[in-house]
Amino acid sequence: MTSWLILTATLPTSPSGLRVKVWRALRATGAGALREGVYVLPEHAPSASALSALERTIVDAGAVAHLLVVQARDDAQEQAFRSLFDRAELYAEFLQTAKEARTRLRSATEATLRKTLRGLQTQLHAIQAIDFFPGRASDKAVDAMVALRREIELHLAPDEPSATAAAIARCEVADFQGRTWATRQRPWVDRLATAWLIQRFIDKSPTFIWLADARKCPKSALGYDFDGATFTHVGERVTFEVVAETFGLLGDPALQRLAALVHCIDIGGMPVEEAPGLEMLIRGLQARHADDHALLAAALSVFDACYAALETPSDP
């Protein structure tokens, strides 16, 4: 049986400031209302601590509040409590928005499509944050998001690689010096970040070539981020993550955070605070540099700065 938090609150009718503050805080937690002044939240909810803090806020303001931990008396009451957290309608709205986005896919600009993806990802995560009992509706929404992202990426870049199920073998940096590394031309964030990773942590004197047709990759080159390449997407990992894991680099916390950032921008998933800013910078570099060598040269300093920021504690 679920352990439930029950918050009871008796608030003054005036002034209204405390009531508004409490209402907004309750809405943010995703709590359900049993009746006016009585709110319920599963104890395992990520926002449970906020309910405890809200009790203190109410009491400190001179009003009355009590936070209880209870269990339902029987299965019927358990289901009645759980029904307060049915997010099926929110997921249905998300699926409808995704469906409408698909109908506009062929006519929309790249900027519009990427903005659409960001908006849908934010919408989905907002629902998931208050979905304390995820089920089929959640799975269906996640599948729809993955499918739409893949469809948009294939529309924008028909040669975008498909993920493989291969195991990631460990390689030694010493065996990969002075190599030629090949990827698709007009590199986006995963390819640029991977080139930065190669140049800064793996190969001290790399040569990069940009392929108009990935099928014509020279046999002597190490291909990355295309179907059939030496390094490409594996399972849920993007190429940056695969290369970092291959060379045992993910013990570096800053590289772990950068990997999550690249993953978020490239294929979505858990939101990362810095993602919109880095994505905007890469778009600007692409707009300024028609030559891919110049694009990489400019991107190196961006990733250097990003890595340095991720190495630095956020607290002063």
Side-chain angles (χ1 to χ4, degrees):
M1 297 285 279
T2 306
S3 292
W4 298 93
L5 298 177
I6 305 292
L7 177 67
T8 66
T10 304
L11 304 175
T13 55
S14 62
S16 61
L18 180 61
R19 298 179 68 87
V20 172
K21 183 178 182 179
V22 169
W23 177 81
R24 288 175 177 170
L26 284 167
R27 185 175 182 182
T29 67
L34 291 174
R35 64 175 179 82
E36 185 178 359
V38 182
Y39 307 94
V40 60
L41 190 71
E43 192 177 29
H44 69 261
S47 55
S49 61
L51 211 61
S52 179
L54 185 57
E55 177 198 24
R56 293 192 299 272
T57 297
I58 295 170
V59 172
D60 290 345
V64 179
H66 299 283
L67 185 64
L68 312 174
V69 181
V70 304
Q71 287 191 325
R73 66 172 178 268
D74 52 33
D75 288 342
Q77 189 174 62
E78 173 81 7
Q79 292 307 312
F81 285 173
R82 288 192 177 214
S83 69
L84 297 172
F85 303 95
D86 182 358
R87 310 304 187 193
E89 185 174 343
L90 295 177
Y91 282 121
E93 292 174 0
F94 168 83
L95 290 172
Q96 180 61 33
T97 304
K99 181 179 179 180
E100 292 171 357
R102 181 171 284 108
T103 64
R104 299 190 295 269
L105 189 150
R106 304 297 170 188
S107 59
T109 65
E110 180 176 357
T112 297
L113 290 174
R114 295 202 180 278
K115 182 178 179 180
T116 297
L117 282 177
R118 289 195 301 272
L120 283 168
Q121 194 73 63
T122 299
Q123 182 182 353
L124 178 57
H125 280 298
I127 301 170
Q128 291 174 319
I130 58 171
D131 184 11
F132 310 125
F133 303 98
R136 293 184 62 187
S138 174
D139 293 341
K140 189 175 181 180
V142 170
D143 290 344
M145 186 72 223
V146 170
L148 178 60
R149 181 176 292 278
R150 180 65 179 165
E151 189 173 350
I152 288 176
E153 292 298 343
L154 287 175
H155 171 66
L156 297 176
D159 53 358
E160 185 70 14
S162 300
T164 72
I168 300 175
R170 184 60 64 89
C171 296
E172 297 297 327
V173 167
D175 298 329
F176 287 80
Q177 299 304 305
R179 304 294 294 272
T180 296
W181 303 77
T183 192
R184 294 172 289 137
Q185 63 183 9
R186 301 310 296 153
W188 176 230
V189 64
D190 191 18
R191 281 166 281 157
L192 285 172
T194 301
W196 170 84
L197 184 71
I198 291 166
Q199 187 152 326
R200 294 295 190 250
F201 292 89
I202 299 169
D203 190 340
K204 295 180 180 178
S205 55
T207 298
F208 291 96
I209 59 176
W210 317 100
L211 305 170
D213 185 345
R215 295 170 299 179
K216 297 180 180 180
C217 179
K219 292 183 179 181
S220 60
L222 292 167
Y224 71 90
D225 204 55
F226 59 84
D227 287 336
T230 305
F231 305 103
T232 190
H233 293 206
V234 174
E236 296 296 319
R237 298 177 179 90
V238 298
T239 301
F240 181 95
E241 294 171 299
V242 171
V243 172
E245 184 169 337
T246 296
F247 291 96
L249 300 172
L250 289 179
D252 181 335
L255 282 181
Q256 288 182 22
R257 295 175 64 189
L258 184 56
L261 181 53
V262 172
H263 182 111
C264 175
I265 298 172
D266 196 53
I267 64 172
M270 292 300 296
V272 179
E273 182 181 1
E274 299 87 355
L278 179 58
E279 181 177 352
M280 182 184 70
L281 286 172
I282 300 302
R283 290 242 166 268
L285 293 180
Q286 282 189 325
R288 292 192 64 184
H289 301 285
D291 177 79
D292 289 344
H293 291 294
L295 173 60
L296 174 58
L300 289 175
S301 61
V302 170
F303 285 107
D304 284 341
C306 188
Y307 176 73
L310 295 174
E311 280 190 305
T312 305
S314 56
D315 294 332

